[in-house]
Short mmCIF file of all heavy atoms in Angstrom, two decimals:
data_model
loop_
_atom_site.label_atom_id
_atom_site.label_comp_id
_atom_site.label_asym_id
_atom_site.label_seq_id
_atom_site.Cartn_x
_atom_site.Cartn_y
_atom_site.Cartn_z
N MET A 286 83.73 118.67 197.92
CA MET A 286 83.85 117.52 197.02
C MET A 286 82.46 117.02 196.65
O MET A 286 81.64 116.73 197.53
CB MET A 286 84.66 116.40 197.69
CG MET A 286 84.87 115.19 196.80
SD MET A 286 85.93 113.96 197.58
CE MET A 286 84.90 113.46 198.96
N ALA A 287 82.18 116.98 195.35
CA ALA A 287 80.85 116.57 194.88
C ALA A 287 80.68 115.07 195.02
O ALA A 287 81.58 114.29 194.68
CB ALA A 287 80.65 116.98 193.42
N GLU A 288 79.53 114.68 195.58
CA GLU A 288 79.24 113.26 195.68
C GLU A 288 78.88 112.71 194.31
O GLU A 288 78.57 113.44 193.38
CB GLU A 288 78.10 113.02 196.67
CG GLU A 288 76.82 113.76 196.31
CD GLU A 288 75.75 113.57 197.39
OE1 GLU A 288 75.66 112.47 197.96
OE2 GLU A 288 75.00 114.54 197.63
N ALA A 289 78.91 111.40 194.20
CA ALA A 289 78.67 110.75 192.91
C ALA A 289 77.26 111.04 192.41
O ALA A 289 76.31 111.20 193.20
CB ALA A 289 78.88 109.25 193.03
N LEU A 290 77.13 111.11 191.09
CA LEU A 290 75.82 111.30 190.45
C LEU A 290 75.21 109.92 190.24
O LEU A 290 75.72 109.11 189.46
CB LEU A 290 76.00 112.03 189.12
CG LEU A 290 74.73 112.52 188.42
CD1 LEU A 290 74.02 113.59 189.25
CD2 LEU A 290 75.08 113.10 187.05
N ILE A 291 74.13 109.64 190.97
CA ILE A 291 73.53 108.31 190.96
C ILE A 291 72.23 108.33 190.17
O ILE A 291 71.33 109.14 190.45
CB ILE A 291 73.26 107.81 192.39
CG1 ILE A 291 74.54 107.87 193.24
CG2 ILE A 291 72.70 106.39 192.35
CD1 ILE A 291 75.66 107.00 192.72
N LEU A 292 72.13 107.43 189.19
CA LEU A 292 70.91 107.35 188.38
C LEU A 292 69.82 106.63 189.15
O LEU A 292 70.00 105.51 189.63
CB LEU A 292 71.19 106.61 187.06
CG LEU A 292 70.00 106.48 186.11
CD1 LEU A 292 69.64 107.84 185.52
CD2 LEU A 292 70.31 105.49 184.99
N GLU A 293 68.68 107.29 189.25
CA GLU A 293 67.53 106.71 189.93
C GLU A 293 66.57 106.04 188.95
O GLU A 293 66.00 104.99 189.22
CB GLU A 293 66.79 107.81 190.71
CG GLU A 293 65.59 107.33 191.50
CD GLU A 293 65.99 106.57 192.76
OE1 GLU A 293 67.17 106.72 193.19
OE2 GLU A 293 65.16 105.84 193.30
N ASN A 294 66.40 106.67 187.78
CA ASN A 294 65.43 106.14 186.82
C ASN A 294 65.81 106.59 185.40
O ASN A 294 66.35 107.68 185.21
CB ASN A 294 64.01 106.63 187.16
CG ASN A 294 62.96 106.01 186.26
OD1 ASN A 294 62.87 104.80 186.12
ND2 ASN A 294 62.17 106.85 185.62
N CYS A 295 65.52 105.73 184.44
CA CYS A 295 65.73 106.05 183.02
C CYS A 295 64.44 105.79 182.26
O CYS A 295 63.86 104.69 182.37
CB CYS A 295 66.87 105.22 182.44
SG CYS A 295 67.08 105.42 180.65
N ASP A 296 63.98 106.76 181.50
CA ASP A 296 62.77 106.62 180.69
C ASP A 296 63.13 106.85 179.23
O ASP A 296 63.56 107.95 178.86
CB ASP A 296 61.72 107.64 181.16
CG ASP A 296 60.43 107.56 180.36
OD1 ASP A 296 60.30 106.64 179.52
OD2 ASP A 296 59.55 108.44 180.55
N PHE A 297 62.98 105.80 178.41
CA PHE A 297 63.29 105.93 176.98
C PHE A 297 62.17 106.66 176.22
O PHE A 297 62.32 106.87 175.02
CB PHE A 297 63.50 104.54 176.38
CG PHE A 297 64.90 104.01 176.56
CD1 PHE A 297 65.21 102.70 176.20
CD2 PHE A 297 65.90 104.80 177.08
CE1 PHE A 297 66.50 102.19 176.34
CE2 PHE A 297 67.19 104.31 177.24
CZ PHE A 297 67.49 103.00 176.88
N ASP A 298 61.09 107.00 176.90
CA ASP A 298 59.97 107.73 176.27
C ASP A 298 59.61 107.11 174.92
O ASP A 298 59.59 107.76 173.88
CB ASP A 298 60.33 109.21 176.11
CG ASP A 298 59.11 110.08 175.82
OD1 ASP A 298 57.98 109.55 175.89
OD2 ASP A 298 59.29 111.26 175.51
N CYS A 299 59.30 105.80 174.97
CA CYS A 299 59.08 105.05 173.73
C CYS A 299 57.92 105.60 172.91
O CYS A 299 57.98 105.60 171.67
CB CYS A 299 58.83 103.58 174.06
SG CYS A 299 60.21 102.78 174.89
N GLY A 300 56.88 106.06 173.59
CA GLY A 300 55.73 106.58 172.85
C GLY A 300 56.10 107.73 171.94
O GLY A 300 55.81 107.72 170.74
N THR A 301 56.77 108.74 172.50
CA THR A 301 57.15 109.93 171.71
C THR A 301 58.22 109.59 170.68
O THR A 301 58.12 109.96 169.50
CB THR A 301 57.65 111.04 172.64
OG1 THR A 301 56.63 111.38 173.58
CG2 THR A 301 58.04 112.28 171.84
N ASN A 302 59.26 108.90 171.12
CA ASN A 302 60.35 108.58 170.20
C ASN A 302 59.88 107.70 169.05
O ASN A 302 60.22 107.95 167.88
CB ASN A 302 61.49 107.89 170.95
CG ASN A 302 62.33 108.86 171.76
OD1 ASN A 302 62.64 109.95 171.31
ND2 ASN A 302 62.67 108.47 172.99
N ASN A 303 59.11 106.67 169.35
CA ASN A 303 58.64 105.78 168.29
C ASN A 303 57.76 106.53 167.30
O ASN A 303 57.82 106.28 166.09
CB ASN A 303 57.88 104.59 168.88
CG ASN A 303 58.81 103.61 169.59
OD1 ASN A 303 60.02 103.82 169.64
ND2 ASN A 303 58.24 102.56 170.13
N ARG A 304 56.94 107.43 167.82
CA ARG A 304 56.10 108.21 166.91
C ARG A 304 56.97 109.08 166.00
O ARG A 304 56.73 109.18 164.79
CB ARG A 304 55.13 109.07 167.72
CG ARG A 304 54.11 109.83 166.89
CD ARG A 304 52.96 110.33 167.75
NE ARG A 304 53.42 111.17 168.86
CZ ARG A 304 53.41 110.79 170.13
NH1 ARG A 304 52.96 109.58 170.47
NH2 ARG A 304 53.84 111.61 171.08
N ASN A 305 57.99 109.71 166.55
CA ASN A 305 58.87 110.57 165.75
C ASN A 305 59.70 109.77 164.74
O ASN A 305 60.11 110.31 163.72
CB ASN A 305 59.80 111.36 166.66
CG ASN A 305 59.06 112.39 167.49
OD1 ASN A 305 57.95 112.80 167.13
ND2 ASN A 305 59.65 112.80 168.61
N HIS A 306 59.93 108.50 165.03
CA HIS A 306 60.76 107.66 164.17
C HIS A 306 59.93 106.71 163.31
O HIS A 306 60.47 105.77 162.73
CB HIS A 306 61.76 106.87 165.02
CG HIS A 306 62.90 107.70 165.53
ND1 HIS A 306 64.19 107.58 165.06
CD2 HIS A 306 62.94 108.70 166.44
CE1 HIS A 306 64.98 108.45 165.68
NE2 HIS A 306 64.25 109.14 166.53
N HIS A 307 58.62 106.96 163.23
CA HIS A 307 57.73 106.20 162.34
C HIS A 307 57.71 104.71 162.70
O HIS A 307 57.62 103.85 161.82
CB HIS A 307 58.15 106.37 160.87
CG HIS A 307 58.34 107.81 160.48
ND1 HIS A 307 57.30 108.63 160.14
CD2 HIS A 307 59.47 108.56 160.40
CE1 HIS A 307 57.76 109.84 159.86
NE2 HIS A 307 59.08 109.82 160.01
N THR A 308 57.76 104.43 163.98
CA THR A 308 57.64 103.04 164.46
C THR A 308 56.54 102.92 165.50
O THR A 308 56.51 101.94 166.26
CB THR A 308 58.97 102.55 165.06
OG1 THR A 308 59.33 103.38 166.17
CG2 THR A 308 60.09 102.57 164.03
N ALA A 309 55.62 103.89 165.54
CA ALA A 309 54.58 103.90 166.58
C ALA A 309 53.68 102.69 166.51
O ALA A 309 53.11 102.26 167.53
CB ALA A 309 53.75 105.19 166.47
N ASP A 310 53.51 102.11 165.32
CA ASP A 310 52.63 100.94 165.20
C ASP A 310 53.16 99.74 165.96
O ASP A 310 52.43 98.76 166.15
CB ASP A 310 52.43 100.58 163.72
CG ASP A 310 51.42 101.48 163.04
OD1 ASP A 310 50.73 102.23 163.75
OD2 ASP A 310 51.32 101.44 161.80
N ALA A 311 54.42 99.80 166.39
CA ALA A 311 54.98 98.72 167.20
C ALA A 311 54.63 98.88 168.67
O ALA A 311 55.01 98.05 169.49
CB ALA A 311 56.50 98.67 167.03
N GLY A 312 53.90 99.96 169.03
CA GLY A 312 53.53 100.20 170.42
C GLY A 312 54.58 101.01 171.14
O GLY A 312 55.46 101.63 170.53
N CYS A 313 54.49 101.02 172.46
CA CYS A 313 55.39 101.88 173.24
C CYS A 313 56.07 101.11 174.38
O CYS A 313 56.47 101.71 175.38
CB CYS A 313 54.62 103.08 173.79
SG CYS A 313 53.19 102.64 174.78
N THR A 314 56.21 99.80 174.22
CA THR A 314 56.88 99.02 175.26
C THR A 314 58.38 98.85 175.00
O THR A 314 59.12 98.43 175.88
CB THR A 314 56.24 97.63 175.39
OG1 THR A 314 56.36 96.95 174.13
CG2 THR A 314 54.77 97.74 175.78
N LYS A 315 58.83 99.17 173.79
CA LYS A 315 60.26 99.07 173.47
C LYS A 315 60.63 100.23 172.56
O LYS A 315 59.82 100.69 171.75
CB LYS A 315 60.58 97.73 172.81
CG LYS A 315 59.73 97.42 171.60
CD LYS A 315 59.84 95.96 171.22
CE LYS A 315 58.83 95.62 170.10
NZ LYS A 315 58.75 94.18 169.83
#
Side-chain angles (χ1 to χ4, degrees):
M286 182 176 66
E288 58 184 323
L290 190 64
I291 305 298
L292 182 70
E293 182 75 18
N294 185 54
C295 173
D296 180 6
F297 276 173
D298 195 7
C299 299
T301 301
N302 283 318
N303 289 0
R304 186 164 56 252
N305 292 338
H306 285 251
H307 310 279
T308 60
D310 281 349
C313 56
T314 60
K315 53 195 173 189

